[in-house]
Amino acid sequence: MKTPRHFKRWFDGWPDLVCFDLDGTLVDSVPDIAASVDAFLAEQGVALAGEDRVRGWVGLGSAKLIEQAMAWADLDPNKHEECYSRFLKHYFEHSTDKTKLYSNVKELLKAFKHQGVPVALVTNKPGVFIKPILDHFEITEHFGWFLGGDTLAEKKPSALPLLHCSEAIEAEPEKCLMIGDSITDFRAANNAGFKCALVTYGYHQGVDLASLGADAVMDDLAELLI
């Protein structure tokens, strides 16, 4: 397979490691996340947030998400543990009801596999949710690492999760790539010394991705194979 133009320019070949974000990059998980947010809000007897509003909150980890939802609903912050627990329980039971895989995810993963490129999943989502989602879409086999927001002592935008993967295979950071959808992913890549490609269709909290200085900003993952 011909080396894609981005990889040829960045690495003079294929990357030594690729780290993927999950929510907003590989899958659109907001419908199920929003339903779980609304489940705990309903139990608290307050207005439901709805999918559109929750879409603007996603990206900083689930604990922060619940904090934002509670603040919006004017709930007592001391109820965070109770609300978070209810959210996690509902989401664990419904994490793939309406979640969808974005276009060309499987094609890109297959290309990396064909070229022997190690691939990691690095998300701020609690680790317990990762494998069930990957299993549902039958893409688990493509990942050598599953790192959730609670796997290591630090999570994105810390460099630690990315460097944990690169150091495991003795890959130089400048030969590695982070693919995500948010400023959190960009900052993690920048902190680790990785190249960074961002997708425009995900959850970027209103941030203009083009202004960040990422190595590539794409409307479709297939652009990495051109």
Side-chain angles (χ1 to χ4, degrees):
M1 182 179 180
K2 181 181 177 182
T3 304
R5 61 185 175 89
H6 285 308
F7 299 159
K8 188 173 183 178
R9 178 161 52 89
W10 298 337
F11 312 116
D12 195 26
W14 290 75
D16 288 350
L17 168 71
V18 174
C19 293
F20 278 98
D21 174 51
L22 180 60
D23 301 288
T25 301
L26 300 181
V27 300
D28 182 8
S29 50
V30 163
D32 290 322
I33 292 173
S36 298
V37 168
D38 282 344
F40 92 75
L41 291 175
E43 287 192 356
Q44 294 296 320
V46 296
L48 306 186
E51 185 175 321
D52 288 345
R53 184 171 282 106
V54 171
R55 191 170 291 273
W57 294 336
V58 171
L60 299 176
S62 56
K64 180 64 176 178
L65 169 68
I66 301 312
E67 181 183 314
Q68 290 173 292
M70 291 179 65
W72 171 81
D74 199 26
L75 289 171
D76 183 352
N78 291 321
K79 291 186 173 183
H80 185 274
E81 184 176 348
E82 174 190 345
C83 293
Y84 188 38
S85 177
R86 176 55 187 152
F87 165 81
L88 292 176
K89 182 177 186 301
H90 188 277
Y91 186 56
F92 188 76
E93 295 169 351
H94 301 278
S95 62
T96 58
D97 287 3
K98 296 181 180 179
T99 291
K100 296 185 182 302
L101 196 69
Y102 286 118
S103 64
N104 293 310
V105 167
K106 289 187 176 181
E107 288 74 12
L108 184 57
L109 289 173
K110 287 176 181 176
F112 287 140
K113 182 178 181 179
H114 181 72
Q115 296 296 325
V117 177
V119 175
L121 194 291
V122 182
T123 175
N124 282 347
K125 184 189 227 69
V128 68
F129 298 111
I130 299 173
K131 191 171 183 296
I133 293 174
L134 299 184
D135 285 348
H136 178 77
F137 293 108
E138 300 180 336
I139 57 174
T140 311
E141 64 171 325
H142 293 282
F143 297 91
W145 301 264
F146 310 139
L147 299 185
D150 52 358
T151 303
L152 302 175
E154 299 174 12
K155 61 184 178 181
K156 299 180 298 183
S158 167
L160 182 62
L162 278 63
L163 294 177
H164 174 85
C165 299
S166 63
E167 290 171 1
I169 59 172
E170 299 183 348
E172 295 297 327
E174 60 268 23
K175 290 284 190 178
C176 302
L177 174 65
M178 175 72 210
I179 302 175
D181 68 310
S182 71
I183 189 172
T184 302
D185 297 313
F186 171 76
R187 286 175 173 166
N190 194 52
N191 289 336
F194 281 33
K195 295 294 184 183
C196 181
L198 299 175
V199 295
T200 59
Y201 52 73
Y203 318 140
H204 31 77
Q205 299 94 39
V207 174
D208 177 11
L209 298 183
S211 71
L212 297 179
D215 297 284
V217 178
M218 314 168 293
D219 295 326
D220 193 303
L221 287 172
E223 294 177 40
L224 284 175
L225 295 176
I226 299 174

